[in-house]
């Protein structure tokens, strides 16, 4: 009986211990450590004090920290170490355990302000980024060229963590998912997510064939390039106490795959082993009775038992066209073949139809050098090659289809200055977003951002690369040699960004180039190569949108034989000669130039000209007097947005669109008309009011979010009237032959500025007509016809790693482009079904 009672007592103690461990495992120990301790090189905490606080919260007596909780503490504070310390106890020193390198975290007793979910974006600590109701925290892991982002989903009282679309079990990591909307909790959540360890996969060789192979690098270490194998059901994170860099699922999948490969190789060797089927050596004829050595040739004397399959391409060199293809197809036969193909495959892509149709032509070619591939077929093959080069090589070796070789694809691809990863990512985002046909059409915008002149060293596959030099392609390099008369390298001072702008609002950065201030000749080669590359991926470019600086004007002029105005700024598309392309101007830039022209108009020191219209002056003093009258007389101010920054803008204020448009919109027109009515004789304001009528009309149309679906839209008629007014003003000034050329120029804002206004009004009308005729069910939204998107992209590039006033270097700018693309890709996936045509 005594032994039975002891055994029963022992079982109860084991059950209670297991129950206690299970309850302790549910306790969010890591979150408690985050809120309790912090790293301090000179501090230390006694083990018994730490365990006493932990025991009080768990309602159990905990005698030691344990391996799992010590691993959490080690990941939280990497420099913590366990050591012995002595303390006086009744006159005798007693040894106890302590943790050095940490100290108690100070608690905040003051009441914290509650944050709304909409205001969280303004209180995020760096480097977190707010993306459509989620907070994205970039990690230091780059997978296949993309930075892995940790996404935080915020709810009312809970928060979740997602990595690559996989929900992470926070309780298994000892993390508390409770969320309170205040600044302290938000900072703690961001800090906790930054400590989470990502699964790095199992390291493999570069040539090793494994499923789900990825290329991993670290953002902070350029020498950490590695190929890894990842499981399809990867957990995406590893535990705090894990010694390896891969999760259990990745280890298990790689182990199972290698065992399966080993078993397959063993079975293949057993099947191919002929030892058991042969006769014993004693039964064979002696060596001297055999034939001579020359008779032992297995190819000649053994009925060709060892056959070597000939290459079908080599055999074609000795064949005639009739032997290769005895049935010659004419144009009617090809048309019937395409008709049969359309009936058999009604929903097939155009690339597949061209690929199969090209097989009938290339089968008759005796030499591969005579093949001429269609651009759409090359584009489809490039997509397949980028997704899996090994599969594309296997498809060529199978001889089932005649496809472009890898060398052909590489040569075609190297002709373009755009980056392959960006275009591939852009294509995938467009496919995932289910863009309509009109969404694949649009234009390109280009602009430059100033960067610091710095060199960055990168080690990629045992090759040292230097980023920061001026690189505008081989043609630009050769042009630079011809201009300078020598071969030299210079550090880049600017980064040229080219982005795609679709009619449905789809925007994506296509490529970027380090330049020293791009020239017209460099623009000519870069932009046409980018348009050709976009066409290979299925994107249609109808227009080029740019600002009115000197090099852009020279580039536009280089595309026309005479004047761009005579051709309505529509030139032949050099990348696709069968189509045309329209060269337009940026609306936001034009508004700022018009405001700056009026800002310099007046009498006295600091004014460069006096703008005249119909014998009346248009000077900045009219705006200042009208605003002062509005503030002094009216109780309710007519223009509430006007501040001192509008009247006396600084260099930074002049770059803001709203500061310029607030002085030229319909509210300012109403203020000027009210001020004129308050005067006894306000006829001297007639030209100013007439000028504001035209600018307010342009702002009203180009900031309208309602799409233009018909060419008879009333807004296009308004823009035509503004165009006639501008042309009449120019003709009137030119007709004043009594004035000198300098005085004639002083009567206008700027000749080039008015030319840009005329270009914008002409090209926007033509773009609307061209798009509506091609896509009758689509629309052109005027508010998207500007470079605000690329300016926002520059603003993000500055603020992501530095500040708005700090210029990044070119390597840092590249990182921000990739990171912003990841954010845009997630945004496009969330908004996949919400691409409106308006």
């Amino acid at each position: 009986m005594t032994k039975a009672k002891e055994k029963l007592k022992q079982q109860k103690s084991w059950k209670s211990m297991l129950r206690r461990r299970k309850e302790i495992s549910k306790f969010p120990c890591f979150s408690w450590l985050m809120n309790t301790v912090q790293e301090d090189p000179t501090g230390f905490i006694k083990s018994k004090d730490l365990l006493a606080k932990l025991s009080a919260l768990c309602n159990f007596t905990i005698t030691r920290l344990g391996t799992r909780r010590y691993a959490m503490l080690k990941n939280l504070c990497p420099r913590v170490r366990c050591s012995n310390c002595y303390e006086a106890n009744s006159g005798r020193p007693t040894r106890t355990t302590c943790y050095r390198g940490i100290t108690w975290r100070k608690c905040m007793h003051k009441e914290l302000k509650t944050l709304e979910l909409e205001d969280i974006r303004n209180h995020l600590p760096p480097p977190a980024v707010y993306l459509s109701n989620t907070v994205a925290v970039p990690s230091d892991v780059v997978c296949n060229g993309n930075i892995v982002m940790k996404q935080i989903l915020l709810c009312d009282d809970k928060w979740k963590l997602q990595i690559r679309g996989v929900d992470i079990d926070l309780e298994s990591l000892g993390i508390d998912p409770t969320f309170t909307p205040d600044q302290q909790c938000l900072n703690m959540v961001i800090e906790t997510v930054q400590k989470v360890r990502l699964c790095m996969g199992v390291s493999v060789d570069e040539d090793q064939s494994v499923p789900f192979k990825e290329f991993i690098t670290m953002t902070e270490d350029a020498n950490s390039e590695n190929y890894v194998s990842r499981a399809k059901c990867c957990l995406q994170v590893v535990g705090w106490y894990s010694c390896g860099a891969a999760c259990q699922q990745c280890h298990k999948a790689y182990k199972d795959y290698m065992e399966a490969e080993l078993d397959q190789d063993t079975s293949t060797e057993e099947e191919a082993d002929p030892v058991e089927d042969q006769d014993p050596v004693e039964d064979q004829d002696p060596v001297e009775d055999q034939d001579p050595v020359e008779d032992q040739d297995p190819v000649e004397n053994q009925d060709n038992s060892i056959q070597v399959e000939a290459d079908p391409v080599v055999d074609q060199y000795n064949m005639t066209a009739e032997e290769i293809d005895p049935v010659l197809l004419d144009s009617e036969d090809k048309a019937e073949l395409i008709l049969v193909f359309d009936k058999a495959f009604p929903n097939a892509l155009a690339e597949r139809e061209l690929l199969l149709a090209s097989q009938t032509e290339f089968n008759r070619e005796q030499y591969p050098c005579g093949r001429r591939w269609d651009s759409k077929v090359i584009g489809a093959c490039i997509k397949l090659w980028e997704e899996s080069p090994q599969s594309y090589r296997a498809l060529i070796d199978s001889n089932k289809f005649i496809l472009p070789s890898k060398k052909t694809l590489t040569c075609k691809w190297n002709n373009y200055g755009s980056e392959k990863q960006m275009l591939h990512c852009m294509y995938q985002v467009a496919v995932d977003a289910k863009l309509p046909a009109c969404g694949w059409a649009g234009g390109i915008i280009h602009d430059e951002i100033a960067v610091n002149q710095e060199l960055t060293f990168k080690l990629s596959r045992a090759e040292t690369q230097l980023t920061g030099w001026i690189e505008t392609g081989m043609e630009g390099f050769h042009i630079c040699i011809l201009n300078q008369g020598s071969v030299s390298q210079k550090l880049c001072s600017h980064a040229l960004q080219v982005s795609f702008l679709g009619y449905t609002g789809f925007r994506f950065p296509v490529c970027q180039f380090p330049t020293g201030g791009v020239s017209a000749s460099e623009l000519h080669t870069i932009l046409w190569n980018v348009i050709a590359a976009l066409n290979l991926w299925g994107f249609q470019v109808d227009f080029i949108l740019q600002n009115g600086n000197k090099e852009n004007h020279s580039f536009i002029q280089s595309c026309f034989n005479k004047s761009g105005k005579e051709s309505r700024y529509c030139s032949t598309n050099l990348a696709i000669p069968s189509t045309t392309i329209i060269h337009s101007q940026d609306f936001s830039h034009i508004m700022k130039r018009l405001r700056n022209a009026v800002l310099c108009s007046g009498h006295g020191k600091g004014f460069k000209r006096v703008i005249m219209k119909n014998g009346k002056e248009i000077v900045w003093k009219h705006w200042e007097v009208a605003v002062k009258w509005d503030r002094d007389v009216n109780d309710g101010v007519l223009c509430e947005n006007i501040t001192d920054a509008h009247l006396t803008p600084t260099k930074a204020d002049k770059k803001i669109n709203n500061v310029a448009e607030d002085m030229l919109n319909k509210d300012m027109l109403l203020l000027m008309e009210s001020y004129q009515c308050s005067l006894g004789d306000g006829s001297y304001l007639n030209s100013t009011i007439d000028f504001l009528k035209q600018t307010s009309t342009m702002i009203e149309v180009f900031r309208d979010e309602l799409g233009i679906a018909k060419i008879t839209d009333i807004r296009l008629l308004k823009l035509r009237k503004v165009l006639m007014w501008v042309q009449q003003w120019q003709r009137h000034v030119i007709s004043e032959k009594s004035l000198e050329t300098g005085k004639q120029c002083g009567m206008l804002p700027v000749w080039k500025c008015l030319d840009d206004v005329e270009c914008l009004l002409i090209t926007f009308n033509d773009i609307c007509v061209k798009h509506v005729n091609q896509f009758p069910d689509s629309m052109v939204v005027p508010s998207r016809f500007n470079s605000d998107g690329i300016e926002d992209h520059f603003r993000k590039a500055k603020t992501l790693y530095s500040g708005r006033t700090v210029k990044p270097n070119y390597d840092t700018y590249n990182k921000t482009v990739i990171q912003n693309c990841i954010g845009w890709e997630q945004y496009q996936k969330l908004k996949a079904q919400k691409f409106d045509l308006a």
Side-chain angles (χ1 to χ4, degrees):
M1 289 295 293
T2 306
K3 292 183 178 180
K5 288 182 180 180
E6 290 180 356
K7 186 176 181 180
L8 181 63
K9 184 177 179 181
Q10 188 177 6
Q11 290 178 354
K12 288 182 179 180
S13 63
W14 274 104
K15 289 181 179 180
S16 62
M17 185 182 67
L18 292 175
R19 190 185 312 110
R20 207 164 47 237
R21 285 186 176 181
K22 186 176 181 180
E23 293 180 1
I24 293 176
S25 63
K26 295 181 180 180
F27 178 73
C29 185
F30 187 80
S31 297
W32 176 78
L33 288 173
M34 285 281 295
N35 294 314
T36 305
V37 301
Q38 64 181 4
E39 195 168 9
D40 185 7
T42 60
F44 71 93
I45 296 177
K46 295 180 181 179
S47 176
K48 61 179 182 179
D49 297 339
L50 187 65
L51 295 177
K53 287 192 175 185
L54 184 59
S55 301
L57 292 175
C58 297
N59 296 325
F60 293 104
T61 302
I62 301 177
T63 57
R64 61 189 184 90
L65 194 61
T67 305
R68 185 170 182 269
R69 286 185 287 272
Y70 182 73
M72 293 182 182
L73 183 61
K74 194 70 176 176
N75 281 274
L76 178 61
C77 304
R79 297 183 179 180
V80 66
R81 64 186 187 279
C82 182
S83 64
N84 296 327
C85 63
Y86 294 89
E87 60 179 3
N89 187 9
S90 301
R92 297 180 59 186
T94 304
R95 187 176 66 178
T96 182
T97 304
C98 67
Y99 299 101
R100 299 188 182 276
I102 58 175
T103 186
W104 300 109
R105 185 184 291 270
K106 297 180 181 179
C107 299
M108 298 179 62
H109 299 286
K110 64 178 182 179
E111 296 183 0
L112 299 175
K113 180 181 178 182
T114 303
L115 300 176
E116 299 293 337
L117 291 179
E118 294 79 7
D119 299 336
I120 286 180
R121 69 177 65 190
N122 301 324
H123 297 80
L124 287 177
V129 183
Y130 188 83
L131 300 172
S132 183
N133 297 330
T134 62
V135 178
V137 180
S139 66
D140 55 351
V141 179
V142 181
C143 178
N144 295 332
N146 298 324
I147 298 179
V148 179
M149 305 291 286
K150 304 174 183 177
Q151 286 188 321
I152 304 173
L153 307 179
L154 299 178
C155 302
D156 294 334
D157 56 350
K158 297 284 185 180
W159 67 278
K160 299 179 181 179
L161 178 61
Q162 284 187 352
I163 300 176
R164 293 182 176 183
V166 178
D167 293 333
I168 307 301
D169 186 8
L170 298 179
E171 293 184 355
S172 63
L173 298 176
I175 298 176
D176 186 10
T178 306
F179 176 73
T180 55
D182 54 56
Q183 187 65 47
Q184 182 180 359
C185 183
L186 181 62
N187 295 341
M188 196 61 64
V189 168
I190 301 297
E191 187 177 353
T192 302
V193 171
Q194 288 179 331
K195 296 291 184 179
V196 174
R197 298 172 56 194
L198 296 182
C199 173
M200 300 294 292
V202 182
S203 299
V204 296
D205 296 333
E206 182 177 357
D207 300 330
Q208 187 176 356
S209 177
V210 293
F212 301 102
K213 188 176 180 180
E214 295 179 347
F215 182 66
I216 297 293
T217 57
M218 307 295 291
T219 56
E220 298 179 355
D221 186 6
N223 301 324
S224 61
E225 298 181 352
N226 191 19
Y227 287 90
V228 299
S229 174
R230 190 180 298 277
K232 186 176 181 180
C233 53
C234 176
L235 301 178
Q236 302 300 332
V237 295
V238 294
W240 306 113
Y241 49 88
S242 177
C243 298
C247 65
Q248 297 178 356
Q249 296 294 338
C250 292
H251 276 297
K252 184 177 181 300
Y254 180 74
K255 182 180 179 181
D256 295 344
Y257 175 77
M258 296 304 296
E259 290 178 354
E261 287 288 326
L262 182 61
D263 295 341
Q264 184 177 1
D265 295 341
T266 304
S267 60
T268 305
E269 291 177 0
E270 291 176 356
E271 293 177 359
D273 190 3
V275 176
E276 298 180 359
D277 298 337
Q278 294 180 356
D279 295 333
V281 178
E282 297 82 9
D283 297 337
Q284 296 181 3
D285 296 334
V287 177
E288 55 270 10
D289 296 336
Q290 295 180 2
D291 295 332
V293 177
E294 55 268 18
D295 297 335
Q296 298 180 12
D297 189 357
V299 178
E300 297 180 0
N301 298 330
Q302 297 183 12
D303 195 17
N304 293 336
S305 59
I306 300 178
Q307 297 286 341
V308 179
E309 185 178 356
D311 190 357
V313 178
V314 177
D315 294 340
Q316 291 179 7
Y317 293 158
N318 301 322
M319 299 172 64
T320 61
E322 288 76 9
E323 292 175 343
I324 296 175
D325 189 4
V327 180
L328 299 178
L329 302 178
D330 55 6
S331 59
E332 295 181 358
D333 296 332
K334 291 181 181 179
E336 292 178 0
L337 181 62
I338 294 175
L339 183 61
V340 172
F341 179 81
D342 291 338
K343 290 183 178 180
F345 306 97
N347 297 324
L349 298 176
E351 290 85 353
R352 185 189 300 177
E353 178 180 333
L354 290 172
L355 179 62
L356 294 181
S358 64
Q359 303 301 309
T360 60
E361 299 179 4
F362 296 148
N363 281 334
R364 297 195 302 270
E365 294 289 344
Q366 297 186 12
Y367 301 97
C369 299
R371 299 169 186 167
R372 295 297 179 265
W373 297 97
D374 188 84
S375 60
K376 293 184 179 180
V377 175
I378 291 180
C381 294
I382 284 177
K383 297 172 190 175
L384 180 60
W385 177 44
E386 283 296 312
E387 292 177 0
S388 178
Q390 186 177 2
S391 300
Y392 186 80
R393 193 182 305 112
L395 188 61
I396 293 179
D397 296 338
S398 66
N399 296 322
K400 295 179 180 179
F401 294 97
I402 300 177
L403 298 174
S405 64
K406 179 182 176 181
K407 183 178 180 181
T408 302
L409 298 182
T410 305
C411 293
K412 291 288 184 181
W413 183 252
N414 289 337
N415 289 334
Y416 309 117
S418 53
E419 295 185 1
K420 297 178 289 186
Q421 293 180 352
M422 302 292 289
L423 283 171
H424 180 70
C425 183
M426 176 181 174
Y427 174 80
Q428 290 297 330
V429 171
V431 172
D432 296 341
K434 299 180 181 180
L435 284 180
C438 60
W440 294 77
I444 58 173
I445 316 171
H446 65 90
D447 201 353
E448 283 188 305
I449 180 175
V451 296
N452 283 330
Q453 294 182 335
E454 297 179 2
L455 276 180
T456 306
F457 291 85
K458 285 187 177 181
L459 185 62
S460 176
R461 299 182 184 178
E463 293 182 1
T464 303
Q465 297 179 354
L466 292 176
T467 59
W469 300 114
I470 295 178
E471 297 178 7
T472 57
M474 291 303 299
E475 293 183 8
F477 180 68
H478 294 156
I479 292 173
C480 183
I481 293 176
L482 293 176
N483 292 336
Q484 297 179 357
S486 61
V487 180
S488 62
Q489 282 279 19
K490 293 183 179 180
L491 293 175
C492 68
S493 59
H494 292 78
L496 175 67
Q497 181 66 55
V498 183
S499 298
F500 178 80
L501 173 64
Y503 289 107
T504 59
F506 177 76
R507 294 182 300 183
F508 206 91
V510 180
C511 57
Q512 55 276 347
F513 295 89
T515 67
V518 67
S519 62
S521 59
E522 293 171 341
L523 277 177
H524 194 276
T525 57
I526 289 174
L527 295 183
W528 292 121
N529 287 336
V530 169
I531 293 172
L534 286 171
N535 179 69
L536 284 177
W537 289 84
F539 293 94
Q540 174 185 331
V541 179
D542 293 338
F543 61 88
I544 300 176
L545 194 63
Q546 53 204 340
N547 56 33
N549 62 26
K550 180 181 178 181
E551 298 299 332
N552 291 342
H553 279 289
S554 300
F555 163 69
I556 294 175
Q557 189 61 34
S558 67
C559 299
F560 300 95
N561 294 328
K562 296 181 181 180
S563 173
K565 189 183 298 184
E566 296 178 1
S567 304
R568 296 185 65 86
Y569 300 97
C570 182
S571 69
T572 303
N573 191 338
L574 299 183
I576 312 168
S578 59
T579 61
T580 59
I581 200 161
I582 300 174
H583 303 263
S584 187
Q585 295 291 329
D586 175 29
F587 164 75
S588 300
H589 188 73
I590 287 176
M591 287 295 104
K592 287 182 283 190
R593 292 185 66 185
L594 287 175
R595 188 279 317 273
N596 293 340
V598 179
L599 187 64
C600 298
S601 176
H603 301 278
K605 185 178 180 180
F607 296 100
K608 299 180 181 179
R609 58 170 46 87
V610 179
I611 301 177
M612 303 286 291
K613 178 69 170 67
N614 296 331
K616 306 294 183 181
E617 296 180 352
I618 304 176
V619 294
W620 187 248
K621 185 177 180 181
H622 296 168
W623 276 262
E624 294 177 344
V625 175
V627 172
K628 185 177 183 303
W629 169 83
D630 185 28
R631 294 175 178 177
D632 296 340
V633 176
N634 297 327
D635 296 333
V637 182
L638 296 178
C639 294
E640 299 178 354
N641 298 329
I642 303 301
T643 61
D644 293 338
H646 291 74
L647 298 175
T648 55
T650 60
K651 186 177 180 180
D653 295 333
K654 292 180 180 180
K655 299 179 181 180
I656 303 176
N657 296 335
N658 293 336
V659 175
E661 294 177 12
D662 288 342
M663 304 301 290
L664 302 173
N665 58 10
K666 59 182 180 180
D667 293 337
M668 180 55 67
L669 173 62
L670 177 61
L671 172 60
M672 198 66 69
E673 290 177 343
S674 301
Y675 175 63
Q676 185 185 36
C677 295
S678 67
L679 300 175
D681 183 12
S683 59
Y684 69 93
L685 295 175
N686 289 340
S687 296
T688 302
I689 293 175
D690 196 14
F691 176 77
L692 286 174
K693 287 181 180 179
Q694 315 309 319
T695 57
S696 61
T697 301
M698 293 178 61
I699 294 173
E700 182 181 3
V701 173
F702 282 100
R703 292 303 180 189
D704 193 355
E705 297 181 357
L706 182 63
I708 297 177
K710 298 180 180 179
I711 59 177
T712 58
D713 195 287
I714 188 64
R715 287 168 290 181
L716 295 180
L717 180 60
K718 291 181 179 179
L719 294 181
R720 294 191 192 104
K721 292 182 179 179
V722 176
L723 176 61
M724 294 174 59
W725 184 87
V726 173
Q727 293 175 345
Q728 181 185 2
W729 192 7
Q730 289 179 321
R731 288 194 298 266
H732 175 72
V733 173
I734 294 175
S735 64
E736 296 289 340
K737 297 182 179 180
S738 59
L739 299 176
E740 298 178 358
T741 305
K743 292 184 178 180
Q744 287 182 352
C745 296
M747 296 174 62
L748 294 172
V750 174
W751 278 105
K752 290 184 178 180
C753 179
L754 290 184
D755 289 341
D756 292 344
V757 174
E758 188 176 357
C759 174
L760 172 65
L761 299 177
I762 292 174
T763 54
F764 181 73
N765 180 81
D766 294 346
I767 289 171
C768 293
V769 172
K770 180 178 181 180
H771 182 68
V772 171
N773 290 336
Q774 184 178 3
F775 302 98
D777 297 333
S778 181
M779 299 180 183
V780 178
V781 181
S783 61
R784 295 172 181 159
F785 202 77
N786 51 60
S787 63
D788 294 350
I790 202 169
E791 292 293 340
D792 294 340
H793 178 67
F794 288 159
R795 201 172 297 113
K796 290 179 182 178
K798 289 182 178 180
T799 56
L800 195 57
Y801 284 98
S802 51
R804 290 188 178 182
T805 59
V806 179
K807 294 189 298 184
N809 58 28
Y810 184 73
D811 182 60
T812 304
Y813 177 75
N814 266 336
K815 293 179 181 178
T816 57
V817 170
I818 296 174
Q819 190 162 341
N820 287 334
C821 288
I822 294 173
W824 289 342
E825 181 177 357
Q826 298 295 333
Y827 177 78
Q828 302 290 355
K829 288 182 178 179
L830 294 174
K831 302 291 184 180
Q833 305 296 334
K834 299 182 181 180
F835 272 101
D836 58 324
L837 300 179

